[in-house]
Amino acid sequence: MALEPGLYVAATPIGNLKDVTFRVIEALKEADRIYCEDTRQTAKLCAAYAVRTPRAAYNEHNAERVQPDIIEALRGGARICLVSDAGTPLISDPGFRLVEAARAAGICVFPLPGPNAAIAALSAAGLYSERFYFAGFAPAKAEARLTLFRSLARIDATLVFYESPARLAASLGAMREVFGDRRAVVAREITKIHETFDDGTLSALAEIYKSGAKGEIVVLVEPAAAEERAGDAEIDRFIANALETLSVKDAAAAAADAFDIPKRAAYERALALKASF
Ligand code: SAM
């Protein structure tokens, strides 16, 4: 069947080249052009499935420059596929601006669903899956990372993060500090030869990975317990830590800021904690 004009957002394998849909291969073959995050990476998929469509790069470095050309081609009736190096474009990958601009220009945008590391990890981790919160990559800087984790600490959903091997140990430690010793899963190299799912408490996982990790990684953390969602345990932990270096007043101000709670409530909690030391 002939491909309609428009932008096709095509999911590609996250490791195993067989994890690609018939629809994606058909679209890649019939499209006028494939925009790839890295043309060399997409060349492997194209070689495996005899896709000979011309390819060009669309990535964080050239997106602003090439986007007008892509939109113009789409306006002219082109059939264009967008792929990233692995998984679903736009999910911690480039593409959002292009899809936004295409829709704003009245161009049809078709999703071609398929692999995604977060969903694959969630589907096999054995953690609560009714509700989940995809947080993508946490910031590299320690303070910004803690701030993000604090903002997620009371969510009633499994938390899903992408993580780099170099930062895994530090991230697990920071999660332990903010979330308490929750159950978590480190999913590595999904669909590849060395696929592993390690399940344990955050402190046990931090111990396993203290000297580093290899491969591509998704970290999943079980939802906050009911009493934590009420907020007290996490706020108390924060204040207790702060009281090690700050006065009651300053620790309370920091907690009020970090958790967006009234200063007075934070102050009373800090006073009570100080008295219990
Ligand atoms: N767009 C992709 C998707 O749909 O999953 C994600 C792209 S993001 C730049 C790459 C990150 O996804 C990796 O650093 C890792 O955290 C995760 N990832 C990708 N492939 C993976 C795999 N096979 N196993 C575990 N994690 C993976």
Side-chain angles (χ1 to χ4, degrees):
M1 207 177 72
L3 210 57
E4 277 179 56
L7 177 63
Y8 291 78
V9 184
T12 57
I14 56 169
N16 189 324
L17 279 187
K18 289 184 180 166
D19 292 333
V20 64
T21 68
F22 290 124
R23 231 179 131 211
V24 164
I25 295 302
E26 263 177 21
L28 293 177
K29 284 185 172 170
E30 288 180 28
D32 299 304
R33 181 166 287 214
I34 304 168
Y35 277 94
C36 322
E37 191 181 358
D38 180 341
T39 51
R40 289 162 304 179
Q41 188 63 24
T42 305
K44 296 177 201 162
L45 181 71
C46 290
Y49 290 97
V51 173
R52 296 191 184 85
T53 309
R55 296 185 288 272
Y58 173 87
N59 52 42
E60 55 183 325
H61 309 294
N62 73 353
E64 239 177 273
R65 185 163 47 78
V66 299
Q67 184 168 302
D69 297 342
I70 304 177
I71 296 293
E72 199 177 309
L74 287 165
R75 278 190 205 276
R79 292 96 38 90
I80 286 178
C81 281
L82 175 70
V83 298
S84 58
D85 284 352
T88 303
L90 279 79
I91 308 301
S92 296
D93 265 340
F96 161 63
R97 292 283 172 217
L98 179 60
V99 169
E100 183 186 43
R103 285 211 172 269
I107 290 154
C108 290
V109 181
F110 304 99
L112 299 180
N116 165 255
I119 299 295
L122 188 68
S123 72
L127 291 178
Y128 176 74
S129 58
E130 194 69 19
R131 278 186 299 281
F132 64 93
Y133 183 99
F134 175 64
F137 287 98
K141 294 215 167 106
E143 201 44 54
R145 189 165 53 204
L146 284 173
T147 304
L148 172 75
F149 291 167
R150 281 179 200 126
S151 74
L152 305 176
R154 277 176 273 166
I155 292 179
D156 184 17
T158 291
L159 305 175
V160 184
F161 300 91
Y162 285 164
E163 194 48 271
S164 77
R167 292 194 200 122
L168 178 64
S171 253
L172 290 170
M175 286 175 183
R176 163 79 182 82
E177 188 182 328
V178 175
F179 302 142
D181 209 9
R182 287 192 206 168
R183 193 178 150 216
V185 169
V186 172
R188 286 190 301 122
E189 296 288 272
I190 302 166
T191 78
K192 304 186 203 177
I193 296 169
H194 297 294
E195 178 180 281
T196 13
F197 280 72
D198 286 315
D199 180 331
T201 57
L202 281 167
S203 51
L205 292 169
E207 182 62 25
I208 293 175
Y209 289 108
K210 68 178 176 205
S211 30
K214 281 194 183 141
E216 299 202 272
I217 298 164
V218 181
V219 180
L220 307 99
V221 183
E222 71 174 356
E227 57 283 10
E228 262 192 303
R229 287 204 301 281
D232 294 348
E234 160 67 354
I235 294 172
D236 281 3
R237 253 199 308 277
F238 179 94
I239 295 176
N241 277 342
L243 283 172
E244 285 176 15
T245 51
L246 300 176
S247 68
V248 168
K249 187 165 167 263
D250 290 347
D257 213 22
F259 294 95
D260 200 19
I261 54 172
K263 282 203 173 92
R264 189 179 173 79
Y267 186 72
E268 279 166 10
R269 203 58 219 143
L271 267 185
L273 282 171
K274 183 84 180 174
S276 70
F277 284 170

